[in-house]
Amino acid sequence: QLTRSTQHSTMTMAMASTSEPSRGTTSLSELLSLSIALLDSDATVAVPVSDSGVGNGSDADATTHQQTPIEKAIGLLADLQTQISRNGLLSKNEHLDDVPTSSLELLGVEYQLGRAYLALPTHAPPPSAEDATTSNGAHDNTTSGPSPSILRKRNVIRATEYYHSFLKRLEQLGEGMLQEATLKEYHAMLDLEDGNDSTTSSSSKRSARMNPSQIREMKIQRFQRKKSTTQKRSQLQSQLQRRSRLGIAEDEPLEGHDMESLSRTLFVETLRMYAEGSLEELQSSKSELEMLDMAIKMESARMQSLDPRMNRNGMGGRMPMP
């Protein structure tokens, strides 16, 4: 069983071997490989900072900050997005058959950004000198800036945006990309989100809501699709390794695939696996956001109770009776 990093490296070699891709595309593939390796590494290992920090949106001095692999990966993936757009490598008007094999892998950048923002650690900002004491001179344990719950909510929302962007891009590729069952679940998920909109009537929200039995069945079907896709990827990986081991020419078929066909099928199955993972994370993120909203409300109530301006004279802001 290969690790995800090893599998991705094998896929990258396959892409570099097909159709003599341009140097720019190859370098982008290498950049994506590095980003995925960072996401799959130990998030506690710090790497030197090179650009502005990501994560908490802090303006802290870069010389005192060490980026985690997750933060470094986000910077690389954002740069990757910029280069893909600048070079016009992917078009929203393309169908699956129009996308060169050498560019298929790059469709997964938004998925990796979603992964990265969900894995991004959030830290409460350190207390400032002004926060050290209250106006009455008493010590205050509160800190300036957003709380970890607020920071986490921002990251989860950002991740869901990337997952939606990724799924919609795959849907635009048309027939042959996503399975019918995958599209059906995604559309049902979008309908549920529309039904939970604040402008939707209560009766419409009730009709759009899924019951526990439906949710359980949806999860089972998604698990089966993901398992099937993972098995297909493993078989294709084995074929790729066998070709390399036997020294078979790129245009020579083996088990129904030449090198171009094998690489393309492998990339498509990988994107399908990412799609199932995106659906899974979108569902989990919905529940997490609900819990974060509750936590933020509790934190807000606590802060108001500790703030002397909100609790003047110990009477909840009421002026004393004359």
Side-chain angles (χ1 to χ4, degrees):
Q1 185 77 29
L2 296 173
T3 63
R4 283 179 292 181
S5 301
T6 304
Q7 289 176 342
H8 187 78
S9 299
T10 307
M11 291 168 59
T12 301
M13 289 189 293
M15 193 184 79
S17 301
T18 59
S19 306
E20 292 295 328
S22 66
R23 180 175 301 180
T25 302
T26 304
S27 64
L28 294 181
S29 176
E30 293 170 350
L31 194 60
L32 180 58
S33 296
L34 176 58
S35 302
I36 294 176
L38 287 167
L39 289 177
D40 292 339
S41 67
D42 182 359
T44 63
V45 178
V47 292
V49 65
S50 57
D51 297 310
S52 58
V54 292
N56 294 345
S58 173
D59 295 326
D61 185 3
T63 59
T64 62
H65 175 65
Q66 288 286 308
Q67 283 186 313
T68 65
I70 304 298
E71 293 171 327
K72 188 71 173 178
I74 289 176
L76 292 175
L77 290 165
D79 181 55
L80 197 53
Q81 273 190 315
T82 300
Q83 294 189 51
I84 291 172
S85 176
R86 183 185 300 147
N87 296 329
L89 295 176
L90 298 172
S91 171
K92 292 183 179 180
N93 299 323
E94 288 180 323
H95 290 280
L96 180 59
D97 292 340
D98 301 325
V99 182
T101 300
S102 57
S103 297
L104 271 176
E105 173 180 47
L106 302 178
L107 288 164
V109 170
E110 278 77 16
Y111 168 77
Q112 301 299 341
L113 276 164
R115 280 186 63 204
Y117 272 95
L118 280 186
L120 191 63
T122 51
H123 309 286
S128 63
E130 292 79 6
D131 294 324
T133 58
T134 66
S135 58
N136 294 328
H139 181 71
D140 186 7
N141 290 326
T142 62
T143 61
S144 61
S147 69
S149 295
I150 293 176
L151 294 173
R152 176 61 183 171
K153 180 179 178 179
R154 291 176 184 173
N155 290 342
V156 174
I157 290 175
R158 191 77 176 272
T160 60
E161 291 171 348
Y162 281 123
Y163 285 131
H164 278 299
S165 176
F166 170 69
L167 288 168
K168 289 175 181 177
R169 174 67 69 89
L170 294 193
E171 183 178 7
Q172 289 171 345
L173 293 177
E175 187 177 352
M177 183 62 253
L178 292 178
Q179 300 179 55
E180 182 85 20
T182 304
L183 283 172
K184 183 178 179 181
E185 180 181 341
Y186 183 48
H187 291 163
M189 186 176 291
L190 291 176
D191 290 341
L192 282 173
E193 290 184 1
D194 291 340
N196 289 329
D197 188 85
S198 58
T199 61
T200 306
S201 65
S202 298
S203 59
S204 297
K205 288 182 180 181
R206 285 193 296 270
S207 62
R209 191 177 298 122
M210 297 180 70
N211 60 50
S213 177
Q214 290 173 314
I215 294 175
R216 182 169 58 253
E217 181 62 25
M218 182 179 65
K219 288 182 176 180
I220 292 173
Q221 292 179 4
R222 186 195 310 138
F223 172 80
Q224 292 173 342
R225 293 195 307 268
K226 189 173 182 179
K227 181 179 179 181
S228 174
T229 301
T230 303
Q231 290 174 342
K232 290 179 182 177
R233 287 183 71 251
S234 297
Q235 294 170 1
L236 294 167
Q237 289 279 1
S238 298
Q239 289 185 40
L240 196 61
Q241 293 174 345
R242 193 176 305 118
R243 290 186 69 93
S244 177
R245 187 171 61 251
L246 297 176
I248 297 176
E250 292 186 6
D251 59 351
E252 183 179 344
L254 175 67
E255 300 183 23
H257 290 290
D258 59 12
M259 190 63 179
E260 168 77 17
S261 171
L262 177 60
S263 301
R264 189 174 187 85
T265 306
L266 178 57
F267 289 138
V268 169
E269 288 298 334
T270 299
L271 292 172
R272 287 173 178 167
M273 185 184 71
Y274 289 169
E276 302 301 339
S278 297
L279 291 173
E280 185 174 355
E281 295 297 353
L282 283 171
Q283 186 180 34
S284 298
S285 295
K286 181 178 180 296
S287 300
E288 183 177 0
L289 286 171
E290 291 173 354
M291 291 187 290
L292 286 169
D293 282 337
M294 292 177 59
I296 291 169
K297 288 180 181 179
M298 293 175 63
E299 290 168 359
S300 177
R302 175 180 172 276
M303 292 297 293
Q304 289 181 9
S305 67
L306 293 175
D307 191 336
R309 293 168 297 182
M310 302 296 293
N311 192 25
R312 192 179 306 156
N313 298 319
M315 299 183 64
R318 296 179 182 177
M319 295 297 293
M321 295 294 292

